[in-house]
Amino acid sequence: MDILRALTMLLMIFVNDLWTIKGEPEWLGHAESNQDFMGLADIVFPCFLFVVGMSIPFAIEGRFKKGFPGVSTVGHILTRTLALLLMGVFIVNTESGVGAESGMNLPVFRILMVIGFLLVWNVYPRTDNPGRKKIYSILKAIGLLLLLYLAIAFRDANGGVFQARWWGILGLIGWTYLICAMIYIFARDRFKYLIPIWIFFILLCVFKSGLREGETLLNLPHGNFFDQFLGILHVGNGALPAFTMGGLLLSLVSTKYVNRPNRDKVIFAVVTTLILAVLGFITHQFWIVSKIQATPPWIFYCCAIAVGTYAIIYWLVEKGKASWFNFISPAGTATLTCYLIPYVTYSLSSLLGIRLPEFLTTGFVGVLNCIVFSFFIIFITGLLGRVHVKLKI
């Protein structure tokens, strides 16, 4: 699971860096809204949500085994969600630029923002020393005050104040995590509840997504109670929680049948991947493949890719090849740190006036440059982890 998360994060850094180059192949980027196409960038986020789902049973059952009560675990889920929403809102606000009224420019704001995140949510070394504990508490308080100052001082390029414009990638992860983690709290490992819930999210997407002709299978009045309820939880058309619930189910199956012969596991993985791919093909006759529209074939194809990739990784690990992935392991164990570091590197490059020659940011060479950048970010993440700089919520 950590390896799949690391690979997904590696690809996420890579596709997020494509904006720095030009002339890259179309299949690496995002498809347009009405384009019947799925690029690499359209697959990464669903796979990450899938891994989020896979981690939920391990995290929650781990807390129960340590003796934490259900109320404490619910509080932990809410706290993690709030942290993701807060970070998501900060990042989204910077996407509108930072005006001069803020007293700082965009690079400085983003660097201070990431420093604030690190101070508040860093995994500080465990200690029984009262003095060190006090220092860690002071650092967290400084981080909170810094984020509060940034939120108050912020003005975008048009003079707008700090606000929840949309939740951003981290915020979407937060809402989806909240929904699926709370479902697991009550359903635990009972497939008789979890499978119907996963099917519900799939059907929600089926009925709410626009067909090729532009209509939907279920034309409910706009603003009905059902839509309002789903809107409160930010379920959307059900696609995002469908990915996470899919990962949650795969995680439980892998755990429940861990002692089954490898042959059975391979057969299950192949059959599941094929079924999902076939469902993708069938639904593709009625809907386009679109990440932006979050269509059913996009769900099925991405789930098939996630299951198939996990199966290959599982097979390699069983063959003793886990060490092949050691060089990207920081991306799997310090994922949030890895995600935020590029905001600092881009900001430092802007402040220092660093510009790469055009031949390094064009075509095939530009793609290689993005690959090198992705591994560099993971390397920096590993170095920071060694000095106890690692975000965890």
Side-chain angles (χ1 to χ4, degrees), residues 38-291:
M38 185 171 67
L40 176 64
D42 297 320
I43 301 170
V44 175
F45 184 49
C47 288
F48 188 84
L49 288 174
F50 197 89
V51 181
V52 169
M54 294 190 71
S55 68
I56 286 174
F58 289 99
I60 292 178
E61 294 299 337
R63 288 184 62 85
F64 286 147
K65 287 179 181 178
K66 292 177 182 177
F68 289 101
V71 173
S72 172
T73 302
V74 169
H76 177 69
I77 292 170
L78 293 174
T79 301
R80 295 187 74 186
T81 301
L82 181 61
L84 287 168
L85 294 178
L86 182 61
M87 285 187 269
V89 169
F90 263 97
I91 292 172
V92 165
N93 274 273
T94 64
E95 292 173 356
S96 300
V98 175
E101 302 93 329
S102 303
M104 64 195 87
N105 57 23
L106 177 61
V108 170
F109 187 96
R110 281 185 163 171
I111 290 173
L112 292 176
M113 173 187 76
V114 174
I115 290 174
F117 294 163
L118 287 170
L119 288 173
V120 175
W121 290 290
N122 186 50
V123 182
Y124 293 100
R126 292 185 179 182
T127 179
D128 294 324
N129 187 310
R132 288 189 178 182
K133 287 183 177 180
K134 187 174 182 179
I135 291 174
Y136 298 153
S137 297
I138 291 173
L139 290 175
K140 290 181 179 181
I142 292 173
L144 284 172
L145 290 174
L146 175 58
L147 293 177
L148 179 62
Y149 166 74
L150 291 176
I152 294 173
F154 177 83
R155 296 293 183 275
D156 65 21
N158 298 315
V161 298
F162 188 88
Q163 56 188 297
R165 301 158 194 266
W166 71 289
W167 298 104
I169 295 298
L170 292 181
L172 292 177
I173 293 172
W175 283 116
T176 306
Y177 163 77
L178 172 65
I179 295 166
C180 297
M182 293 302 291
I183 288 172
Y184 184 80
I185 282 283
F186 293 100
R188 302 293 287 275
D189 61 351
R190 290 173 286 188
F191 290 104
K192 64 180 180 180
Y193 299 127
L194 294 174
I195 292 177
I197 291 172
W198 178 69
I199 294 174
F200 164 77
F201 287 127
I202 294 290
L203 291 177
L204 184 63
C205 181
V206 166
F207 286 118
K208 295 193 69 173
S209 297
L211 297 166
R212 288 180 181 272
E213 294 77 15
E215 297 295 329
T216 60
L217 294 179
L218 185 63
N219 292 307
L220 293 174
H222 181 68
N224 63 81
F225 174 78
F226 183 64
D227 277 346
Q228 291 176 353
F229 175 73
L230 295 179
I232 293 173
L233 297 176
H234 296 272
V235 173
N237 73 342
L240 301 189
F243 289 123
T244 304
M245 288 301 300
L248 194 155
L249 287 168
L250 179 63
S251 181
L252 289 175
V253 170
S254 301
T255 304
K256 206 159 195 171
Y257 301 104
V258 68
N259 295 321
R260 294 293 293 269
N262 284 335
R263 178 175 172 273
D264 292 351
K265 297 175 187 176
V266 171
I267 292 174
F268 171 80
V270 171
V271 171
T272 302
T273 302
L274 288 176
I275 290 174
L276 290 167
V278 169
L279 287 172
F281 176 79
I282 293 173
T283 53
H284 194 192
Q285 309 310 305
F286 305 95
W287 293 270
I288 65 172
V289 181
S290 173
K291 175 191 174 182

